[in-house]
Each structure stands twice: as structure tokens, then as C-alpha cells.
Amino acid sequence: MAIKVFADGANLEGMLDMYENGNVQGFTTNPSLMKKGGVTDYRAFAKEVLAHITDVSVSFEVFADDVETMEVEAREIAAWAENVYVKIPCVTTKGESTAELVRKLSADGIKVNVTTIFTPKQVDEMVEAVDAETPRRRLSSRSLPAASPTPASIPFRL
């Protein structure tokens, strides 16, 4: 079984160390980690990361909590570099599925990293939504503690 390791964080120095040492096959971050890491300019941070890390995947998450704004943000994020995956939560904080958005972005060739998947039904829904022609990295799932901020509660935006 092949295992790939993806680092989750928002510390450029740490990311570069792991990248240069070949310890990971890609990176991912999210609004909570960026806030905790002191990132206040999302675009500038992302562009700095992408100036150094060009040949492994890097996932950047949308901040919006409504599907329409998620799409706008996702398209901007995807344009930052060829190695970018756009992290989309499986559902909004109101429980609205993002499967149709994932389907639309994927059909347009945007690489997606679907996150906050909690049930087997959600896994099936998202696997079905990803276009067969879109490069696949992984379908990530994580459990968030009840006190974790949601993307909508993070005070800075794209």
C-alpha cells in the first residue's frame, strides 16, 4: 500500500523545511490554521508558499460559507498555480451540500480537495461529484472539535 503524507499548517518556514527534506508529498491549510499562524494576508501568504513550492500539491481553502461566493473564491485560488488544489467543505455551516459546486469546478478542470466529510453518504456524494478527468490526489476527511471556528467566523477574507 502506498502512503502519501500531506502536512497541514500555515507556517512558511516549517512548510519549506518539510518540502526541502522531502518529508511530505504535499501541503494543505485552512482558515483556522492560518489565523492561528498569524496570517493576515491570505493571497500574499499563498503566493509566497507557491513561489517556493512548485512541484507538489498545495491546498488552499475557500473562506466563504455560501456556495456562490465559494465558487468565486475557488476559481481565483485555482488560478494561482498549476499545483494548487482548492479545498471545499463538504457542506456549508447551514448544512447545504457543496456537491454541485464540486461537480461544476471539477468539470471545469479545477482540482478540488473536499474536506469536512463526516459520513459514508457524503463520501459517496463527493466521489460521484468529481469528474473522472480531473487529477485526483485524495478525498480528505477530518473531525472538527465543537469549538473550532468555521470558515464564516474567521475575520479575514480573500
Side-chain angles (χ1 to χ4, degrees):
M1 170 168 70
I3 296 176
K4 291 184 178 182
V5 177
F6 295 85
D8 196 16
N11 175 282
L12 181 61
E13 184 178 317
M15 292 171 78
L16 293 177
D17 182 56
M18 286 183 273
Y19 174 69
E20 291 164 3
N21 290 317
N23 295 333
V24 297
Q25 288 73 51
F27 297 90
T28 182
T29 191
N30 66 53
S32 297
L33 291 172
M34 294 177 92
K35 181 179 179 185
K36 183 178 179 181
V39 174
T40 57
D41 187 332
Y42 188 56
R43 283 183 191 93
F45 174 77
K47 291 184 184 205
E48 182 71 16
V49 167
L50 295 168
H52 296 283
I53 300 174
T54 60
D55 61 344
V56 299
S57 65
V58 183
S59 291
F60 293 103
E61 188 166 350
V62 296
F63 281 81
D65 192 40
D66 65 278
V67 175
E68 294 79 22
T69 309
M70 280 183 190
E71 181 176 357
V72 172
E73 292 178 358
R75 292 183 183 285
E76 177 186 338
I77 292 168
W80 290 344
E82 181 60 33
N83 60 322
V84 169
Y85 279 70
V86 179
K87 243 174 130 169
I88 305 284
C90 179
V91 295
T92 68
T93 58
K94 295 176 185 145
E96 179 185 3
S97 173
T98 61
E100 285 306 313
L101 173 61
V102 169
R103 182 173 287 107
K104 187 176 188 180
L105 295 171
S106 182
D108 288 346
I110 293 174
K111 297 176 290 257
V112 294
N113 173 351
V114 180
T115 189
T116 60
I117 296 175
F118 298 107
T119 69
K121 180 181 175 189
Q122 289 173 329
V123 171
D124 292 342
E125 182 180 36
M126 291 301 159
V127 168
E128 164 98 10
V130 176
D131 188 276
E133 300 300 316
T134 301
R136 291 178 188 235
R137 184 182 81 180
R138 65 189 168 110
L139 200 60
S140 81
S141 61
R142 62 183 163 119
S143 295
L144 296 176
S148 291
T150 63
S153 70
I154 304 300
F156 51 96
R157 297 278 182 236
L158 280 170

